[in-house]
Amino acid sequence: MEPKNCLQSNELFHRAQQVIPGGVNSPVRAFGAVGGSPRFFSHGQGAYIYDVDNNQYIDYVCSWGPLILGHSHPKVVNAIEKATHKGASFGAPTSIEVELAELITKIMPSIDMVRMVNSGTEACMSAIRLARGFTKRNKIVKFSSCYHGHTDSLLVKAGSGLLTFGIAGSAGVTQDSAEQTIVAPYNDIDAVEDIFNKHHADIAAIIVEPIAANSNLILPNPNFLPGLRKICDKYNSILIFDEVITGFRVALGGAQELYNVRADLTCLGKVIGGGMPVGAFGGRQDIMQLLAPLGPVYQAGTLSGNPVAMAAGLATIQELQQSDTYTQLSTTSAEVCKIFSKYPQVSARHIGGLFGFSFTNEEEFKLFFHAMLDNGVYLAPSAFEAGFVSTAHDKQVLSETAVAIEKSMKVLEEVAI
Ligand SMILES: *Cc1c(COP(=O)(O)O)cnc(C)c1O
């Protein structure tokens, strides 16, 4: 195993740091937690990505979820090309927005109506505003270790990005907005009961990742999601499922299909844009009708429902509707976990197209991360992130992954000796 030549990446990182804070446009891309400097990528094909020094890697980040069909899927590329030729944006309605909205409402029965936005952050921010407008209450309950984008009121105990850098919240968030957020431990329904006993008259909504995929990967206890549903029904609060990661990834209909719990509002993102910047939120008609121009809750966007982004999302979801996609994705993530199961110092879990693995000790992850890079596998540069597979991760990719893991674990053993 040879460390890779990264001259071009290092040179770009040097330039980037002069003009972009930290050299990256989103903190999770930096290598702050694992040491070293980030790779700059040039192109991707299927399960593989290539950096600017032309090193090849198997990609288990998949742009943090969106690229569920792998890189440069021909149907998605074709849809984007066609849409671009017809016009990048109108700031006026187009037919493809209606098509994607119809498809989403068909796939997710809890969604009667949906509004397109440009990111998962916007989706969660808008869903919270809508829940507050509907209930005329102010407080929201969120769970530690869940991430819902970087809106002020949701940036409290917010999972991986903050955990990676060891910070509890963010500077610049006012006391007022943080005070409206009550944080509960994930999977602890008794704690939620207690909170509602005290504050129920003020609680507009519970927002939750139905599968927590921003703190490595935590699956919900069997009583957790049904328990949240019951509490919201009892106190007339809104249950918001943030399915920005899980939607179209753990099952076509998301975690709500897997666990058969109905959300009042659902936030979407990542996969529904097929790699383009898209988010969406939707749900019960009586709530959604409060949005402007129908109702008093204002929400808007110059590029919302952008035809190029809608085309990429539509092509992606149509491809996902093929019969055995989700069996294939969960077989792949199970296979990754099976490779890890040979090593007692690693625990691994998976669901649908997601997996998580953790070492008993954080130093081991750093070593493993760099050894995997040297062996041609790109993992998220943080021990707190989930792993993402795509339909392009086939048997060949998995057997190359197994070899890389085996070699990287040897490096760990050598260091330990
Ligand atoms: C990624 C993510 C978001 C934020 O989406 P952006 O498009 O990055 O703004 C919100 N919620 C969850 C669960 C996410 O994983």
Side-chain angles (χ1 to χ4, degrees):
M1 177 203 76
E2 283 279 308
K4 296 197 181 293
N5 166 9
C6 297
L7 287 174
Q8 302 291 332
S9 274
N10 293 345
E11 162 66 17
L12 277 168
F13 189 48
H14 178 76
R15 280 170 52 198
Q17 284 173 297
Q18 316 305 313
V19 286
I20 301 171
V24 290
N25 279 312
S26 189
V28 292
R29 296 175 196 173
F31 277 20
V34 288
S37 52
R39 302 294 190 268
F40 281 65
F41 287 97
S42 121
H43 59 288
Q45 188 60 60
Y48 296 93
I49 45 177
Y50 301 83
D51 69 19
V52 287
D53 293 285
N54 215 24
N55 299 305
Q56 175 186 285
Y57 307 85
I58 296 169
D59 184 14
Y60 284 106
V61 178
C62 295
S63 189
W64 306 91
L67 298 184
I68 197 161
L69 302 175
H71 291 264
S72 311
H73 189 283
K75 290 200 175 143
V76 180
V77 171
N78 185 36
I80 291 174
E81 271 179 3
K82 268 197 179 152
T84 316
H85 283 294
K86 289 166 86 175
S89 180
F90 299 94
T94 57
S95 65
I96 195 155
E97 299 163 66
V98 187
E99 267 184 78
L100 186 56
E102 283 171 349
L103 188 58
I104 289 172
T105 54
K106 199 177 106 198
I107 290 171
M108 294 186 144
S110 76
I111 300 183
D112 302 321
M113 301 181 113
V114 61
R115 173 66 60 86
M116 300 296 171
V117 292
N118 303 290
S119 68
T121 294
E122 254 188 272
C124 296
M125 173 187 88
S126 309
I128 294 285
R129 182 183 304 142
L130 182 55
R132 284 175 168 154
F134 183 81
T135 57
K136 302 191 170 64
R137 300 173 184 171
N138 287 334
K139 289 195 189 303
I140 52 173
V141 173
K142 84 173 279 291
F143 297 90
S144 50
S145 56
C146 285
Y147 178 65
H148 305 293
H150 60 92
T151 310
D152 281 4
S153 61
L154 294 171
L155 211 48
V156 185
K157 298 250 168 88
S160 55
L162 296 169
L163 281 172
T164 303
F165 302 104
I167 43 185
S170 168
V173 173
T174 61
Q175 191 71 20
D176 293 355
S177 36
E179 264 170 20
Q180 301 302 332
T181 306
I182 306 174
V183 181
Y186 193 78
N187 265 337
D188 188 343
I189 202 73
D190 293 340
V192 182
E193 283 279 8
D194 287 348
I195 289 167
F196 271 80
N197 279 337
K198 272 199 211 117
H199 299 287
H200 60 87
D202 299 323
I203 299 174
I206 298 178
I207 185 165
V208 65
E209 282 184 77
I211 295 167
N214 278 288
S215 301
N216 207 300
L217 180 64
I218 308 171
L219 302 181
N221 291 336
N223 70 342
F224 185 55
L225 301 175
L228 297 181
R229 180 68 273 170
K230 258 189 220 144
I231 291 172
C232 283
D233 287 342
K234 182 168 166 194
Y235 295 109
N236 292 315
S237 289
I238 303 301
L239 182 58
I240 305 173
F241 275 1
D242 178 354
E243 298 232 44
V244 170
I245 280 192
T246 50
F248 306 94
R249 176 160 281 282
V250 296
L252 192 62
Q256 53 194 280
E257 177 186 310
L258 278 186
Y259 297 109
N260 195 24
V261 175
R262 201 178 176 95
D264 299 309
L265 293 176
T266 297
C267 305
L268 297 169
K270 299 196 168 109
V271 171
I272 61 158
M276 300 293 286
V278 180
F281 63 104
R284 272 166 47 185
Q285 180 159 345
D286 59 331
I287 305 177
M288 291 301 287
Q289 281 183 334
L290 249 60
L291 278 178
L294 290 179
V297 178
Y298 197 71
Q299 186 282 327
T302 302
L303 292 174
S304 294
N306 175 267
V308 182
M310 296 292 101
L314 191 63
T316 299
I317 296 175
Q318 284 168 343
E319 191 65 15
L320 289 170
Q321 286 180 304
Q322 305 305 315
S323 60
D324 67 341
T325 307
Y326 290 91
T327 322
Q328 191 205 331
L329 286 168
S330 57
T331 309
T332 305
S333 62
E335 204 58 43
V336 174
C337 289
K338 204 171 132 200
I339 304 170
F340 278 120
S341 71
K342 288 186 210 150
Y343 306 95
Q345 67 271 51
V346 186
S347 65
R349 59 231 146 254
H350 67 95
I351 187 160
L354 278 174
F355 67 89
F357 68 95
S358 18
F359 283 85
T360 38
N361 141 356
E362 204 180 316
E363 283 310 308
E364 284 183 316
F365 174 77
K366 291 186 195 176
L367 284 169
F368 180 73
F369 171 81
H370 283 288
M372 288 292 273
L373 272 186
D374 292 342
N375 284 301
V377 178
Y378 189 74
L379 299 166
S382 160
F384 300 103
E385 303 289 356
F388 299 88
V389 300
S390 78
T391 50
H393 288 66
D394 59 12
K395 285 211 168 76
Q396 172 65 25
V397 170
L398 282 166
S399 71
E400 288 171 18
T401 305
V403 172
I405 291 179
E406 195 179 325
K407 285 187 182 165
S408 303
M409 291 309 255
K410 283 226 175 77
V411 174
L412 258 64
E413 279 166 31
E414 282 158 22
V415 171
I417 296 163

